[in-house]
């Protein structure tokens, strides 16, 4: 349990210790102590505040994931843009999930129950060594998979759906796409409020592409040679494609999710499946699997992230079991596959 406020930390310990399935084995009030305790105790899960003395939460995440990978749940108050961005950085560096710190504000101990459930969920996830180092190596020698586009029409769009582990996976894919990637990318990510609101802004800051929330009624951008565009479903709204335009709806949740990946994928299946590539990334549950199958059945191209590179092999697994995934690829091969499918011509940049 890593939290610099003694009052908050003791309350968090009390909440978790009240569940018989959980044992708090260590407490830290600063980042350096957190790293030392994590290395010595090797816990099943670490809860981590972002704003810490000595070492920040981001520095702790990067060090832990590099040397002794441990499932990390970020528990942080989203007080300002800088802190929220640091939370996204930690998710990109290997933290599994995030929970907003709202002790005392929710009725009936609702937040406390969310904390217990989140800790149990994160503790069950197998994590791997620091993904950033691995992706930097891959960026120097881009590997293009053996991937050919079906001759069913000119490429029109790429769609991506993700949940737990999604911010890091999407970050890796978008950073690997060229600045002039010609196709619009439609994106749905499950992430809790209030962190969802600024995710598009953070991705825009982290990549060469323009990343923003979709606007209800706007035209689906045409393929172009200009700067690539990523249009993301805003919080609490489904994103759909209909008659050449993007729509935002407040229709009922699908799989307890709004936005839902299935809703987006099913609209693409009905609108322009043969001109689309859809990719389902890491995530818990099954949202997106049926939608991916619908796109494939209508002649579209489909990809699921493989188990080895998924933080949670839930949504992609469901798609594979349904036979919805035309290809099952490791994370580092997904952007090259998108580039090859799009027909983009150019030279991939190298990152150092």
């Amino acid at each position: 349990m890593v939290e610099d406020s003694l009052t908050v930390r003791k309350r968090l310990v009390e909440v978790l210790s009240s569940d018989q399935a959980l044992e708090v084995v260590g407490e830290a009030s600063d980042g350096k102590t957190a790293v030392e305790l994590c290395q010595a105790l090797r816990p099943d899960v670490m809860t981590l505040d972002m704003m810490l003395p000595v070492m920040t939460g981001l520095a702790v995440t990067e060090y832990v994931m590099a040397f002794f990978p441990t499932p990390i749940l970020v528990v942080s108050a989203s007080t300002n843009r800088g802190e929220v961005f640091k939370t996204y950085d930690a998710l990109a560096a290997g933290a599994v999930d995030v929970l907003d710190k709202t002790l005392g504000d929710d009725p009936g101990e609702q937040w406390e129950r969310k904390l217990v459930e989140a800790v149990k969920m994160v503790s069950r996830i197998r994590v791997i060594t620091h993904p950033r180092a691995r992706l930097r190596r891959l960026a120097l020698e881009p590997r293009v998979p053996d991937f050919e586009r079906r001759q069913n029409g000119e490429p029109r769009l790429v769609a991506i759906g993700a949940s737990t582990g999604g911010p890091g996976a999407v970050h890796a894919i978008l950073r690997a796409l060229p600045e002039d990637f010609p196709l619009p990318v439609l994106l749905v990510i499950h992430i809790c409020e209030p962190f969802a609101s600024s995710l598009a802004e953070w991705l825009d800051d982290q990549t060469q592409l323009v990343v923003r929330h979709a606007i209800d009624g706007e035209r689906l951008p045409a393929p172009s040679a200009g700067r690539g565009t990523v249009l993301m479903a805003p919080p609490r709204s489904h994103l759909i494609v209909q008659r050449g335009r993007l729509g935002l709806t407040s229709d009922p949740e699908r799989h307890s999710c709004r936005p839902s990946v299935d809703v987006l994928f099913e609209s693409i299946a009905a609108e322009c499946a043969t001109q689309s590539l859809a990719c389902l990334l890491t995530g818990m549950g099954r949202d997106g699997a049926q939608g991916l199958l619908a796109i494939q059945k209508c002649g579209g191209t489909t990809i699921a992230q493989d188990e080895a590179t998924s933080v949670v092999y839930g949504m992609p697994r469901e798609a594979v079991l349904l036979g919805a995934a035309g290809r099952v690829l490791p994370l580092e091969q997904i952007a090259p596959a998108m580039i090859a499918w799009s027909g983009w011509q150019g030279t991939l940049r190298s990152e150092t």
Side-chain angles (χ1 to χ4, degrees):
M1 179 74 66
V2 187
E3 166 63 55
D4 62 333
S5 166
L6 177 61
T7 301
V8 173
R9 189 170 71 251
K10 292 302 180 185
R11 176 57 180 153
L12 293 174
V13 171
E14 179 185 3
V15 170
L16 295 183
S17 299
S18 66
D19 191 293
Q20 294 183 352
L22 300 174
E23 178 186 4
V24 179
V25 295
E27 302 177 38
S29 60
D30 65 80
K32 182 175 182 294
T33 303
V35 168
E36 292 170 348
L37 285 177
C38 187
Q39 185 173 21
L41 299 173
R42 303 309 298 267
D44 296 306
V45 60
M46 171 191 287
T47 70
L48 180 65
D49 189 19
M50 282 289 96
M51 307 305 291
L52 297 169
V54 187
M55 287 177 69
T56 66
L58 174 59
V60 170
T61 301
E62 292 181 330
Y63 192 93
V64 167
M65 298 309 296
F67 295 104
F68 32 92
T70 303
I72 294 174
L73 173 68
V74 175
V75 181
S76 182
S78 52
T79 56
N80 57 61
R81 179 177 180 272
E83 185 170 348
V84 171
F85 274 32
K86 291 298 183 186
T87 299
Y88 299 140
D89 288 338
L91 292 172
V96 173
D97 209 351
V98 57
L99 183 67
D100 187 37
K101 189 192 302 177
T102 56
L103 280 173
D105 294 335
D106 291 351
E109 298 186 342
Q110 182 179 349
W111 186 89
E112 285 80 357
R113 289 195 297 272
K114 287 181 180 178
L115 173 64
V116 171
E117 291 169 1
V119 167
K120 289 181 177 179
M121 183 273 289
V122 170
S123 71
R124 295 192 293 267
I125 292 172
R126 177 185 59 83
V127 293
I128 57 178
T129 302
H130 202 313
R132 284 182 175 173
R134 183 178 68 256
L135 292 169
R136 276 198 296 268
R137 291 195 301 270
L138 293 163
L140 295 174
E141 299 179 3
R143 179 182 176 187
V144 180
D146 179 18
F147 195 95
E148 294 182 0
R149 177 171 56 87
R150 297 179 185 178
Q151 301 301 313
N152 289 337
E154 290 301 314
R156 186 73 179 87
L157 64 85
V158 168
I160 300 173
S163 186
T164 309
V170 170
H171 173 269
I173 290 172
L174 297 187
R175 281 184 61 86
L177 293 178
E179 182 178 11
D180 57 348
F181 185 69
L183 304 180
V185 178
L186 305 184
L187 174 62
V188 170
I189 301 183
H190 304 157
I191 186 169
C192 69
E193 283 284 11
F195 296 98
S197 299
S198 301
L199 182 56
E201 186 180 358
W202 177 74
L203 288 170
D204 182 73
D205 184 66
Q206 292 284 311
T207 72
Q208 305 176 86
L209 309 172
V210 175
V211 185
R212 62 175 176 83
H213 285 140
I215 300 171
D216 186 40
E218 71 172 304
R219 288 192 177 277
L220 176 68
S224 71
R227 191 175 175 196
T229 301
V230 181
L231 299 167
M232 181 176 169
R236 300 179 299 279
S237 294
H238 294 305
L239 174 63
I240 62 172
V241 183
Q242 192 171 45
R243 294 188 292 275
R245 294 183 180 275
L246 302 180
L248 301 177
T249 81
S250 56
D251 290 344
E253 295 179 349
R254 186 82 67 87
H255 309 297
S256 302
C257 299
R258 189 172 64 223
S260 161
V261 183
D262 266 336
V263 170
L264 172 61
F265 283 3
E266 288 169 5
S267 75
I268 292 171
E271 176 82 6
C272 53
T274 61
Q275 297 175 282
S276 303
L277 181 152
C279 179
L280 192 57
L281 303 178
T282 173
M284 187 164 291
R286 61 179 187 275
D287 187 30
Q290 288 287 349
L292 200 71
L293 181 62
I295 290 175
Q296 186 192 62
K297 285 183 174 180
C298 291
T301 303
T302 57
I303 296 173
Q305 186 177 351
D306 73 353
E307 182 175 8
T309 62
S310 293
V311 173
V312 180
Y313 193 56
M315 288 158 46
R317 178 180 181 273
E318 292 297 320
V320 171
L321 291 176
L322 287 174
R327 290 292 186 92
V328 179
L329 297 177
L331 179 62
E332 62 269 15
Q333 290 189 24
I334 293 175
M338 291 176 175
I339 293 166
W341 180 85
S342 74
W344 178 84
Q345 300 293 324
T347 303
L348 287 173
R349 70 186 182 99
S350 294
E351 295 184 11
T352 57

